Each structure stands twice: as structure tokens, then as C-alpha cells.
Amino acid sequence: MYVAVKGGERAIDNAHAWLAEERRGDPSVPELSVAQIREQMKLAVNRVMAEGSLYDPDLAALAIKQARGDLIEAVFLIRAYRTTLPRLASSRPVDTAAMAVDRRISATFKDLPGGQVLGPTFDYTHRLLDFTLMAEGEPPAAAALPLVAAVSPQRDGGDCDPASRVPHVTGFLNRDGLIEDAAPEDSPPPDLTREPLELPAGRPLRLQAITRGDEGFILSLAYSTQRGYGRTHAFVGELRIGHVGVEVEIPELGFAVEIGDVELTECETVNQFKGSKTEPAQFTRGYGLVFGQSERKSIAMSLVDRSLRWRELGEDDTGAPAQDEEFVLYHCDNIQATGFLEHIKLPHYVDFQSELELVRKLRAEARAMKEAAE
Amino acid sequence: MTDQAYNFAYLDEQTKRMIRRALLKAIAVPGYQVPFASREMPMPYGWGTGGVQVTAACLTPEDRLKVIDQGADDTTNAVSIRKFFQRTAGVATTEHTPDATVIQTRHRIPETALKAGQILVYQVPIPEPLRFLEPRESETRKMHELEDYGLMHVKLYEDIARHGTIATAYAYPVKVEGRYVMDPSPIPKFDNPKLSGNAAIQLFGAGREQRIYALPPWTEAVSLDFDDHPFQPSKAPHDCDLCGAADSYLDELITDDLGGRMFVCSDTDFCAGRRAAGHIGRLGAAEPEVVP
């Protein structure tokens, strides 16, 4: 009696029990707390919040712990939680010029109003393993912390108060008409998580998709534009990281109330543009905005954004992947991608059986024809 | 996870309303793919998120749910989805096809004929029947609008020219009520005749691709073919080794490394029912085995 096809239920229960044990690892090693992950794995927490589209450092840290450090799995846990949350209100657009900046740099101007603020960056660290971090027991002395010790913040403008308004670099260029206008838009943006994706997607929807898209995928696409597949000629006009207040209009009160703040990374690129049949020579813009400190992602996002704007600027379609809206938007979501990729390990007995029958039939017919011919 | 933190059948009521609207539109335009704002679900894309969302939107507390994968109630993913709804909706479940009010399926239509009042929910990976002929969604939507199915007929013709037969064994396209060409999900073409004129409501959910489509009861769904190369459903040329059924779709099992094979019904409920009624196949025992 053949019974191996039975027993799925028990197998699942056992697999889950084993998984829980593996997640905990060696019980003689103290368990990680969610607070430890939130505080000491902050960039991983940021990535999970950005790609999970949910700003909640505690839940993102919990997801990382539950996912055993698999960040895409953690993003997935956050997405599956987020999707059940009711939509109570829409916030007003955040004012990034009022950001309390921890970091603010421009690659296009040596000095500018608001100053250059390096902030906590890896940029100028030497990538040497710091074995003092490995020493157990004693926490490393503050002076030995590499993230703040490697560079010292250089703030121009002397009495610059980081909480005061920091104007955007692109605004300076705009005064001379050197960069395209980006007029404020009042129409509510579409919501990718509430409406099915329809093409062609406008820029707001594209940006929304890219900001929650997979960091690796967006990075590689952006890189491909730098290497000639839909060239973007980008300069980082400005990159800023810091906290901004989130305000919600309360209809009963008739005014907006700040309900909290979020950490954001904003990147504005200034792109070379020689002009086209329809537009005069002018700098153009690419834009990136991501939850948390996510520099790589926000720079990559602004390059891909710029690349996708070829049609509106009258540029040529060179057939580059980063110019192809449908290709980018349909493949940037790592939860969709990993789900469909990994589903091929599920049973496909039935389909495979039908293929088996077909191949046998085709082979039998071919054999019969060959014999008939001989 | 605290189960109380989630609504009945997991999805919030606003989401269910959105899905029900898409379902109603799909029922009204049989075979047409209705875009819907598919949500992330707690199982991955590719595991049946579309089907799960459709089931969640259809379930009421009085329903009795059956979940099958590859025809079987006991495959891991079927167990997992059934447990999900037991946990989040608390609905009764069954493995017995005639007792179910809602049946979620992956890759099969049950052998036992469905009846009026039942809902069959299909999990769909690629809802677009033209996708592998034209990769761009913007193009294929236009082709459906214009009823431009020439490319599909050319493909079927080229199959015949090259192989002497239409080389599609599963996910075999059908034309619905003479209008939309529809992908029936990756069911073997053996199941295609059951799509047409079925008494049950047939709903198709594709989560990752954000599409819902439907066949209302008694809708005509014709498998594409040519007059001189008519459609032929196919199965392994054997009887079930457990219950002896000659007319059910069979799974092939490898029993040893000497070429030993056995063929058993893919529909486990159908097979168990036949054995309980006394039908015995080549290698079968009179009573279905008791699962430990």
C-alpha cells in the first residue's frame, strides 16, 4: 500500500517546530531583544521599513528577528501586517526643507546656504574590520566608535541651526532658469497599495513603486544607466537625511496637527540635458525619497526616476531596461518576485504529469513515423 | 500573532468590498480580466494569494470550505491554506466535495460534478493567456479589447505544423461565450471540458498580477482548436491502481528504481469515496488507509 503522498499536515507542524528552534540558535547564547535590533541594526530596520512601506522601527525589528535576519522575509512580514491596517487619514505632504538634518551634502556646490553636514556616514571610513567590536563584555569606549570618529561634521555658516529651514539646492538653480521647473502638484497621488497598477503610470506612481522596490534591483538598474544603458548623467545636487514632522488635517478642527515624525533620506539629482526637439538645453531632475537612512537606495531611485522620464522630455528610447516603465515597475517588488520565483518548489505533479503524457505521445508518434518511412 | 487582531477571514471589510466589486464585474463580463488592488497576504505570491483573497471575500461564517492542491486535500499548501481559514475565519472545513460550499483549488477541478450553490476558487499564476506570445501587458490588453486573437491561432497552428498536435498540455486556453480568450489556470487540459456549462460559480484570482476573472454558472467555455484538429483531453492511459477508476485524472508515482510505477487518482476525495464504495484497483485495499 503506497501512502507516502499522505502526511502533509504533520510534516508542516514538524517543520515549523524545527524552524522555531533554528531561529533561536544555540540557547547558551543570550537571545537578541527587539530593542537591540532596533538600536544596533538600524540600517537593516530602515531597509525593512522602506521596502515594507510601513514606518514602525519596533515592528521592523521584530520582523527581522522573526525572519532570522532574512530581510526580504522581514519585509514580507511587515507588508502582510501593513495590508490589514485601516487607512484612517492621508497626511499632508512632508516639508523636507524644514527637515532637522543629520546629514546634508551637495556634490554640485562646495558651499551653499545651510552648509555641508557629513553626519553619521561610512563614506570616509577605512573598511578595516574593527576587532574591538568583537571583544565581549566591555562596550567599546565612545571615542573608539568608528561611525562618528572617522569624520568630523563640518558645518559651514557658523551658527547654522540644523532645525531651521535648509533650502534645496535645486531651488538655487531654478532661480536662473537653469533647471526645469517642478511646480507643486495638489492632486492626490494614486496609491499603489489600494489600486491595481495600470500603465502608463504617472511619475507619482512610479516613484511610489520604486521607493518600496528592492534596493538591489533599483541599485543595479541605476548602475546600468551610469554604464550607458539609458544614460542619466547625474550629479547629486543634494542628499539630506533627517527627521520631518508628519501633519494630518483634522476636519473637525479645521487645521493640521503634527502626529509624529519620520526619518527620511531625500536625494535630488541634477542631470545634464542637451535639449531635444521639444525642450531647450536645461538641467533636469531625478528624485528619490526613502524611509530612514537609506542613501544608496535614494540615489539609485533618483537615477531610475530620471531615466524613466525620457518620454516626457522628448528623449530617444534606446531600449534600455531602466527606460522601460513596464519592465521596471513590474519587476522591482521583491515580495512579488521572490514569491513567484520560489513557488516553483511547490508541487506541480499534475502539470508535469500532463507534460509527461504529451512528450511520450510525441515520441511515440515520431517513432511510428520513422518506422513507417523505413 | 493574536488572532483577535485580525478581521473575520483576515482581510478588513473595505478590502473585501473592493474584491467583491471586482468579482461582480468579473461575473458580469465572463472571461474578462478585472484589475483589482491585490493585497499582500501572509503567504507568498505564487502560493495562492489571489485565490486566498477571493475565498476570503466570499466566505461567510456558515460556509464549509474545502482546499485542494494538485487535486489532493493533504498536500502541504492545501493544508496550510485550510488551516489559515480555520484560524482566521473559524469556518467548518471538509474534504468531501459535495459537502463544500466553497472550494479553493490549485491546478485541478474535482472529479465529482459540482452543483448549483457551490463556488470553485482557482489560484492563478499568470492570468493572461497571451502572455507568452506577447510579454507586454499594455499590448495584450489592447489585443483583448480588439478581440485580436490571431497570434494565439498562429501559435496553435505552428504547434500542429511542427509537432502534428497542439503542444499545450495544461493551462489550455478557452474562449468564453464567443468573446474573451481565457487562461483556465494550470489545470491539465483533461479538466477543460468541466469548465464549460458548470453549475457552480467559478472564480479565478491572480494576486501578484492583480487580476480577477470568472465563469458564471452554465457559461460556455470552448477549448481552442481547429476543425481538422479537434481538442482532445488527455490523461495517462491507465486505471487508478487504488480504486480502479478509468475516467479520473491520474498521478504517476515511482515505486522503485527498477522502473516500477503506479497510477493513482489525483483527486484524493474521489478516490477514497470510490474505495469506500467497494471499488478496488490493481494494488488497492478495500478500505482507504487510516492516516496516522
Side-chain angles (χ1 to χ4, degrees), chain A residues 39-120:
Chain A
E39 296 301 318
Q40 297 172 43
M41 292 285 138
K42 191 178 166 200
L43 299 185
V45 168
N46 285 345
R47 181 170 177 189
V48 170
M49 292 196 300
E51 291 170 28
S53 301
L54 182 72
Y55 194 90
D56 191 321
D58 288 301
L59 290 184
L62 168 62
I64 291 168
K65 175 173 173 167
Q66 186 178 334
R68 305 175 64 198
D70 179 339
L71 295 190
I72 292 183
E73 180 69 22
V75 169
F76 184 15
L77 286 166
I78 290 296
R79 290 268 191 97
Y81 176 76
R82 176 198 196 276
T83 194
T84 67
L85 300 177
R87 189 64 52 98
L88 299 176
S90 295
S91 70
R92 295 175 57 166
V94 292
D95 180 7
T96 52
M99 177 185 280
V101 294
D102 291 333
R103 172 164 164 79
R104 191 278 186 121
I105 52 166
S106 170
T108 51
F109 297 99
K110 187 175 181 186
D111 192 12
L112 66 167
Q116 302 255 20
V117 182
L118 278 182

Side-chain angles (χ1 to χ4, degrees), chain A residues 247-270:
Chain A
E247 292 184 343
V248 170
E249 205 97 48
I250 310 290
E252 289 84 351
L253 299 179
F255 55 86
V257 172
E258 184 167 322
I259 56 166
D261 56 67
V262 294
E263 189 182 26
L264 294 174
T265 303
E266 183 186 52
C267 177
E268 284 189 286
T269 55
V270 177

Side-chain angles (χ1 to χ4, degrees), chain A residues 185-206:
Chain A
E185 247 267 39
D186 281 339
S187 58
D191 185 341
L192 190 63
T193 68
R194 301 278 137 163
E195 300 290 333
L197 178 63
E198 287 194 39
L199 298 170
R203 194 175 175 205
L205 196 63
R206 290 200 304 251

Side-chain angles (χ1 to χ4, degrees), chain A residues 1 6-7 13 76 79-80 83 193-194 197 324 326 336 339 347 349-351 353-355 357 360, chain B residues 10 37 39-41 43-45 70 74 76 83 106-107 136-138 170 186 208 210 236 242 249 252:
Chain A
M1 201 55 239
K6 287 277 172 188
D13 290 342
F76 184 15
R79 290 268 191 97
T83 194
T193 68
R194 301 278 137 163
L197 178 63
D324 186 332
E326 182 161 347
Q336 292 179 352
Y349 321 134
V350 161
D351 313 312
Q353 184 64 40
S354 61
E355 291 277 341
E357 299 304 331
R360 281 183 183 139
Chain B
Y10 182 75
R39 301 290 196 256
E40 281 91 358
M41 298 300 289
M43 57 280 294
Y45 290 112
Q70 315 293 305
D74 191 47
T76 47
K83 273 191 167 179
R106 179 168 171 260
H107 297 189
R136 306 184 70 84
E137 177 69 11
S138 37
Y170 63 92
R208 187 179 42 79
Q210 309 188 316
L242 295 181
Y249 194 78
E252 180 170 336

Side-chain angles (χ1 to χ4, degrees), chain A residues 151-188:
Chain A
V151 293
S152 54
Q154 294 167 4
R155 299 189 181 187
D156 280 67
D159 59 348
C160 169
D161 174 11
S164 68
R165 290 186 73 82
V166 182
H168 284 98
V169 169
T170 46
F172 307 140
L173 286 169
N174 201 20
R175 247 168 262 149
D176 303 325
L178 287 176
I179 192 162
E180 58 166 329
D181 237 350
E185 247 267 39
D186 281 339
S187 58

Side-chain angles (χ1 to χ4, degrees), chain A residues 121-134:
Chain A
T121 175
F122 290 118
D123 282 355
Y124 305 104
T125 60
H126 295 141
R127 267 57 168 210
L128 304 171
L129 282 174
D130 181 356
F131 293 102
T132 60
L133 290 174
M134 212 173 177

